[in-house]
Amino acid sequence: MISHIHPDIGWGVPPRRVELDEQQSASGTLGGFEAVTDLAATVLPLLSALGWEGELVHIAESLPHFADGLDLTDLLNVMANLGFSSQSIDIAPARMDPRLMPCLYLPPHGKAEVLVRVEPEGIVAFDTDTRTYRHIAPPAERGRVYLFRTLDEDARQQFEEAPKNFVGATLRRFIPLFVRMLGASLVSNLLVLVTPLFIMAIYDQFLPTGSVPLLVSLLAGSAIAVAGDYAIRSVRSKMIAYMGARLDHLLGLAVFRRLMLLAPPYTEQANSNAQIARLRDFEMVREFFTGPLATTLAEAPFIVVFLVAMAIIGGPLVFVPLAALILFAATAVIARPVVETRVTAATRASSRRQEFLVEALSKPRAIKEAGAAGIWSDRFRELSADACLKNHRTARANLIVATASQALVVIAGLFTLGWGVERVMTGHMTTGGLMATMIVVWWILRPVQTGFSLASQVERVQASVAQINRLMHLKAERVLAPSVQAVPHFKGRVTLSNVSLRYSPDADPAVLGLTMQAEPGEVVALVGPNGSGKSTLLKLVLGLYRPQTGAVLIDDIDIRQLDAIELRRLIAYVPQQPDIYFGTVAQNLRLARPEASLEELHWACGEAGLLDEILELPQQFDTKLGDGTTDRLPASFRQRLSLARAYLKRAPITLFDEPASSLDFMADRQFMLTLERMRTHSTVFLVTHRPSHLKLADKVAVLVQGQVRMYGPAKQVLDRLPPNFF
């Protein structure tokens, strides 16, 4: 296996820190990223030209999962993730101020180029076709130029501190679009008035005279108005669809990122099904702005236009819809508490059913192996019955409200008709005026009736908005744009000083008064019964949890002073249960180090005893995992893949939590050989109960009920343990 390994890769050689210079950027390769499209090829040269000073890992993490074929939107998102704002202008580079370089130039015909700087020989440009830097004459062809600037501290702060009403702040970005939508709605509603005016003219002018030219003129004018209304409504529907799509992207991305950047205590206390329910909240907001309610909101302000028109046409008849609007408002005040209570109950019941379904469908094999299919069916029947009953009550409440609104519309129409007939009989109105008034009454009350019929949706959207705002107010572990500050290179000394932690206020301490120190390059074995705090100790060193008392120090630096995400980047961790994600073998490995080369992947898999098996796969490192195939992989393969992912970091601190639980004899022997090679190069914390592993330890810590009962040189501690301890 080791014959495949590059000579510059090994435990004594730290991972390479390649500077992003023009030579590196021209290669178009970073870890598993190999630029295929011209826009993908501009990423590294553009960052090099902009003087990017961060770690290459930040670039790799900012790229999409399958990133070789970036489009323009993906490129702009990558730059935004790295802390760059973007601005585009239409200009010919020959007429552009040289101080605007470096920039991205998209000609109308041809491939994208990175314009780096101006020199006496011409503009230094990166040619995405040949993947080389060359001097070119300033392009005289007008094209799209994208300018990138580093976000200042105030802008970075905005990433971290979400506004009090995050959804409202996001919606304010669409104010210009809202204004255009309202303008379109105003014109549309004015054109709609042509219909009642046309009918009034037919009754009052054409029928008494029989003038054909008048009829032709009226028909032509109405046809123009109807066509104009159709065109404007089409434009407005496109605006609504665009806003819905943008909200889907902005809110969905913001919610997912916030969940990913929350400290583990926020997310581990809620199961994955509850997290999925959180992600569904933004879908409710999106559906609100793409459904009929969005159209109703766009038309509601112009009820005033129809009221004015009705006052002109029907005179005092306008008091009928005004009275109906007052009754609608009173009904809303009375019905809202009832609808809100029932919607809340139905939403909770549906969420419980959804959580149960996600859990059942994610563990079908375990349920069948336990012979618990019948029990789970009974549980689902109870949850489904509860959800259906509460949804039925909500539907009944909505139906009552909708029926009441329909009745108000009918009553308003009857009052308008009766009073209008009386006015026609007394000569205060014409027959055409009565017909026009009846149509206008409908246009006044229609938006209100639609809002009533969708009252439950309004309540759900309000609850979703409140949930999203609460989520965005939770403090993330760091701002979205990564810091470019240098990360300290640890030697590996780990000190726990009087560390205590409770997972919740009413729980017993998971660890209590832990005090121990591991010197650089030592192997420290952690032993003890289940629930004694061994895994918790590893999570504390990893920065997943902050101790309530005491401190965790690495090289005499309190880890609370370090960026939590950057800290974990410098620590390798192998959990008890190996995780495999959808993607290729190489992508699963590069989760630990996205910028790792193929030679480094070979080395890590060789250290885990997995290289030969991967090379025998049909597509080797490009073989896709996940998507239902993960459970069919041997447990030993998954465990060794998890080990290889940790080895890939060559970190100064490595944490193993029962790493050999799924390994066979040969794989366990390979693990012990690798552990022996790691000595003096990485400080190792090893949770294990295997005597063969304990022989490799320099120190042993015995934990019981969250406390260190014994800690010291391995031989001394092991000799003092009772014979039946393991």
Side-chain angles (χ1 to χ4, degrees):
M1 296 179 188
I2 307 302
S3 60
H4 296 280
I5 306 308
H6 193 277
D8 293 336
I9 302 174
W11 286 110
V13 181
R16 296 173 298 152
R17 298 292 179 184
V18 181
E19 296 295 332
L20 187 60
D21 54 17
E22 291 189 353
Q23 181 179 359
Q24 165 69 13
S25 64
S27 67
T29 301
L30 177 62
F33 171 66
E34 295 182 2
V36 175
T37 63
D38 58 330
L39 285 169
T42 64
V43 174
L44 298 181
L46 192 56
L47 290 170
S48 174
L50 290 167
W52 168 253
E53 296 178 352
E55 298 282 347
L56 293 181
V57 64
H58 295 149
I59 304 174
E61 289 182 343
S62 297
L63 294 167
H65 196 45
F66 296 96
D68 296 349
L70 290 178
D71 58 18
L72 181 59
T73 302
D74 292 330
L75 174 63
L76 297 178
N77 286 335
V78 168
M79 299 302 290
N81 291 338
L82 293 172
F84 289 95
S85 62
S86 61
Q87 176 187 359
S88 65
I89 55 175
D90 284 322
I91 193 173
R95 302 179 57 189
M96 188 175 68
D97 190 329
R99 290 175 295 179
L100 296 178
M101 298 182 190
C103 62
L104 176 66
Y105 172 54
L106 302 181
H109 307 288
K111 295 187 176 181
E113 292 183 322
V114 178
L115 306 182
V116 181
R117 60 185 176 273
V118 176
E119 293 184 350
E121 297 85 353
I123 294 179
V124 177
F126 178 77
D127 189 334
T128 56
D129 198 10
T130 62
R131 308 294 170 91
T132 58
Y133 288 89
R134 59 190 180 90
H135 289 89
I136 63 172
E141 190 175 21
R142 188 183 185 89
R144 176 75 65 173
V145 173
Y146 285 86
L147 309 175
F148 299 93
R149 295 293 179 267
T150 306
L151 291 175
D152 56 24
E153 289 303 319
D154 291 338
R156 282 179 176 270
Q157 193 70 14
Q158 291 178 2
F159 277 115
E160 187 174 19
E161 296 181 358
K164 184 176 181 180
N165 185 355
F166 175 79
V167 176
T170 304
L171 290 176
R172 281 196 290 273
R173 299 174 58 175
F174 297 93
I175 287 179
L177 185 61
F178 280 135
V179 172
R180 290 196 292 272
M181 285 174 56
L182 291 176
S185 297
L186 175 60
V187 176
S188 174
N189 282 286
L190 291 175
L191 291 175
V192 163
L193 284 174
V194 172
T195 300
L197 294 176
F198 169 76
I199 293 175
M200 185 171 68
I202 291 293
Y203 275 90
D204 294 344
Q205 299 181 26
F206 170 71
L207 291 180
T209 62
S211 173
V212 175
L214 176 61
L215 178 62
V216 172
S217 300
L218 292 174
L219 288 174
S222 298
I224 293 172
V226 170
D229 181 44
Y230 174 79
I232 291 174
R233 287 177 182 272
S234 298
V235 172
R236 188 180 65 184
S237 65
K238 291 180 180 178
M239 292 179 183
I240 293 174
Y242 171 79
M243 185 173 65
R246 288 293 295 160
L247 280 174
D248 187 6
H249 175 73
L250 294 174
L251 291 180
L253 185 62
V255 169
F256 184 78
R257 278 181 165 172
R258 182 63 59 162
L259 285 173
M260 291 296 100
L261 291 174
L262 287 178
Y266 286 117
T267 54
E268 289 187 358
Q269 291 176 1
N271 57 29
S272 59
N273 312 316
Q275 306 298 344
I276 293 174
R278 286 181 175 180
L279 290 173
R280 289 179 57 86
D281 284 323
F282 81 89
E283 294 182 5
M284 291 293 301
V285 179
R286 178 200 60 192
E287 292 170 1
F288 175 80
F289 285 99
T290 56
L293 269 176
T295 304
T296 301
L297 287 176
E299 292 182 350
F302 304 105
I303 290 176
V304 177
V305 174
F306 292 104
L307 287 172
V308 172
M310 187 170 178
I312 294 173
I313 298 171
L317 290 181
V318 73
F319 291 111
V320 175
L322 283 174
L325 291 175
I326 294 173
L327 289 175
F328 268 117
T331 304
V333 171
I334 296 171
R336 180 174 178 179
V338 177
V339 173
E340 183 177 0
T341 300
R342 296 194 176 185
V343 166
T344 301
T347 301
R348 289 176 179 172
S350 298
S351 296
R352 287 194 294 269
R353 181 176 61 179
Q354 177 70 16
E355 292 175 10
F356 181 83
L357 277 174
V358 172
E359 185 176 5
L361 295 177
S362 62
K363 302 175 182 176
R365 180 179 296 180
I367 295 172
K368 292 180 180 179
E369 289 173 350
I375 297 174
W376 282 70
S377 296
D378 292 340
R379 289 178 60 192
F380 177 73
R381 182 172 61 250
E382 294 175 2
L383 291 172
S384 181
D386 183 54
C388 291
L389 178 62
K390 290 177 179 176
N391 280 319
H392 171 66
R393 291 173 179 170
T394 302
R396 285 178 56 189
N398 290 332
L399 183 61
I400 292 172
V401 173
T403 303
S405 65
Q406 179 67 29
L408 282 175
V409 172
V410 172
I411 292 171
L414 291 175
F415 266 98
T416 303
L417 179 62
W419 193 358
V421 168
E422 187 273 333
R423 287 179 61 79
V424 170
M425 297 295 293
T426 58
H428 293 93
M429 273 186 72
T430 64
T431 304
L434 175 60
M435 300 300 295
T437 301
M438 293 297 297
I439 295 174
V440 173
V441 165
W442 162 246
W443 282 103
I444 292 173
L445 300 181
R446 181 179 62 89
V448 183
Q449 184 187 3
T450 303
F452 262 68
S453 63
L454 298 173
S456 62
Q457 186 177 353
V458 174
E459 296 296 336
R460 286 192 173 98
V461 168
Q462 288 181 335
S464 296
V465 168
Q467 178 72 359
I468 292 173
N469 286 334
R470 284 194 296 269
L471 172 64
M472 298 306 294
H473 289 155
L474 297 178
K475 184 175 178 59
E477 289 191 307
R478 76 170 182 198
V479 295
L480 299 183
S483 172
V484 297
Q485 296 178 355
V487 180
H489 295 278
F490 295 137
K491 294 179 180 179
R493 178 183 294 106
V494 178
T495 304
L496 289 88
S497 177
N498 196 30
V499 172
S500 299
L501 172 69
R502 295 175 187 263
Y503 284 116
S504 61
D506 57 346
D508 293 331
V511 292
L512 181 63
L514 284 183
T515 298
M516 58 188 297
Q517 180 169 302
E519 297 299 328
E522 286 187 337
V523 177
V524 179
L526 306 176
V527 299
N530 292 334
S532 59
K534 302 183 298 296
S535 297
T536 300
L537 188 152
L538 299 186
K539 292 179 180 179
L540 286 166
V541 174
L542 197 58
L544 293 176
Y545 286 89
R546 291 189 174 185
Q548 274 98 33
T549 63
V552 179
L553 310 175
I554 297 181
D555 290 357
D556 300 325
I557 300 175
D558 193 324
I559 63 173
R560 286 173 289 197
Q561 300 175 11
L562 303 173
D563 184 296
I565 295 176
E566 298 299 329
L567 168 68
R568 293 176 206 132
R569 205 187 306 283
L570 298 176
I571 298 177
Y573 174 57
V574 178
Q576 282 182 306
Q577 298 297 326
D579 294 315
I580 295 180
Y581 305 93
F582 176 75
T584 65
V585 173
Q587 287 172 330
N588 269 272
L589 291 168
R590 286 193 174 105
L591 288 172
R593 276 189 57 225
E595 80 282 11
S597 65
L598 183 60
E599 290 81 5
E600 290 173 306
L601 300 188
H602 278 247
W603 173 83
C605 291
E607 290 291 305
L610 189 63
L611 182 59
D612 290 342
E613 291 183 43
I614 292 177
L615 295 179
E616 290 173 0
L617 295 174
Q619 295 178 296
Q620 298 185 359
F621 282 89
D622 291 328
T623 302
K624 288 190 177 172
L625 304 176
D627 196 19
T629 63
T630 300
D631 291 339
R632 295 196 293 270
L633 291 172
S636 177
F637 182 95
R638 286 180 282 167
Q639 186 74 56
R640 284 177 289 162
L641 188 67
S642 181
L643 287 170
R645 187 186 298 153
Y647 298 157
L648 190 62
K649 283 190 174 184
R650 284 175 283 168
I653 300 171
T654 306
L655 312 176
F656 293 109
D657 194 351
E658 298 285 0
S661 58
S662 301
L663 298 182
D664 55 26
F665 176 77
M666 293 302 297
D668 185 45
R669 293 291 301 171
Q670 177 64 42
F671 168 71
M672 289 192 291
L673 290 173
T674 301
L675 185 60
E676 187 66 35
R677 285 193 288 271
M678 293 173 64
R679 300 173 72 94
T680 73
H681 301 303
S682 179
T683 305
V684 176
F685 284 83
L686 173 64
V687 176
T688 184
H689 292 93
R690 297 196 178 190
S692 58
H693 294 174
L694 295 176
K695 293 179 181 179
L696 299 175
D698 297 299
K699 295 179 180 177
V700 172
V702 180
L703 278 73
V704 178
Q705 295 181 344
Q707 296 178 304
V708 176
R709 295 299 173 86
M710 286 188 284
Y711 180 61
K715 188 175 186 313
Q716 295 180 13
V717 173
L718 293 175
D719 289 343
R720 296 175 61 187
L721 289 177
N724 60 347
F725 184 81
F726 295 105

